[in-house]
Amino acid sequence: ILCATIVAMLLVKMFNRGRTTNAFYVMWFGTFVALVISLYGNNSNPDKPLEIFSGMLVYDTFGIYMRRLLLLFALLFATFTQISGVPHRKHSTEFFTLVLGAVLGMCLMVSANHMLIVFLGIEMASVPSYVLVGIIKQRRQGAEAALKFAVFGAGAAGVMLYGISLLVGTLGSAHFPTMSAQLAAAIADQRSVVLMLAGLMVGVGLAFKLSAVPFHFWAPDVFEGAPAEVGAFLSIASKAAALGL
């Protein structure tokens, strides 16, 4: 539903009447439908975790709760931006497309059951965030903050990806349940040093998203340069997704 909402916002802008339409209404309606179906859809609270998409994602009560939280925040966030006037109506399509793209990545993060989805979800959440920080073009602080955020984010992503490659190579799988089953054997074979190094590297990526010490050095510049609304988005949604992951 979030993907369909993104496509709908982009398609509406192709028509003459749609160019003057505020994308807020399309975004709000699509996110509201997604939240309602998450709350009242069939099998909305499974009895046990269910692997879907060939084990890439897991459908469980924790993931459902976190997705509901993220969708609810997206609704509140869109409402607050509409009240404050950020973004301008003619830039609303790009703004809300980036927001929903980031929320989609965060929903993948909290439902990940495979290392590939972990990296994909984090990057889907991060890359739109870099652009959102510098969304006000005339603001020099915003441009500087967006550049610093992108550079630090790329460095953290590279370290995390190397850690993921070490984990997957050592354990022979990127599937979470299979990896956990292999951990005992790997430690018994004295591969614990590699696993500790890999876990530390993956932790770098998550600590960056959480602004956890000592990977919080990007936060002051980014939150000072970003619009207040984007600061709220980064301080709540991205932190919830990283904590959920």
Side-chain angles (χ1 to χ4, degrees), residues 107-220:
C107 289
L108 287 178
M109 287 170 63
V110 299
S111 302
N113 198 43
H114 194 278
M115 276 297 181
L116 182 62
I117 298 296
V118 169
F119 186 73
L120 183 66
I122 288 178
E123 289 305 291
M124 283 183 67
S126 298
V127 175
S129 300
Y130 305 153
V131 185
L132 287 171
V133 169
I135 198 71
I136 301 179
K137 298 178 183 178
Q138 296 80 12
R139 190 172 183 179
R140 185 175 178 180
Q141 280 184 318
E144 180 186 349
L147 179 60
K148 289 182 177 179
F149 197 14
V151 171
F152 292 152
V159 173
M160 183 181 65
L161 187 59
Y162 188 65
I164 289 175
S165 68
L166 285 177
L167 275 178
V168 173
T170 304
L171 299 177
S173 176
H175 181 236
F176 282 178
T178 306
M179 291 174 72
S180 64
Q182 295 292 335
L183 276 173
I187 293 173
D189 294 342
Q190 297 183 345
R191 288 177 283 175
S192 57
V193 175
V194 178
L195 290 172
M196 288 169 61
L197 179 62
L200 182 63
M201 288 182 168
V202 174
V204 167
L206 294 177
F208 176 83
K209 294 297 293 179
L210 285 167
S211 306
V213 176
F215 304 101
H216 64 297
F217 41 78
W218 60 273

Side-chain angles (χ1 to χ4, degrees), residues 2 11 20 30 36 58 84 167 186 210 240:
L2 292 181
L11 288 177
T20 59
V36 169
V58 62
S84 66
L167 275 178
L210 285 167

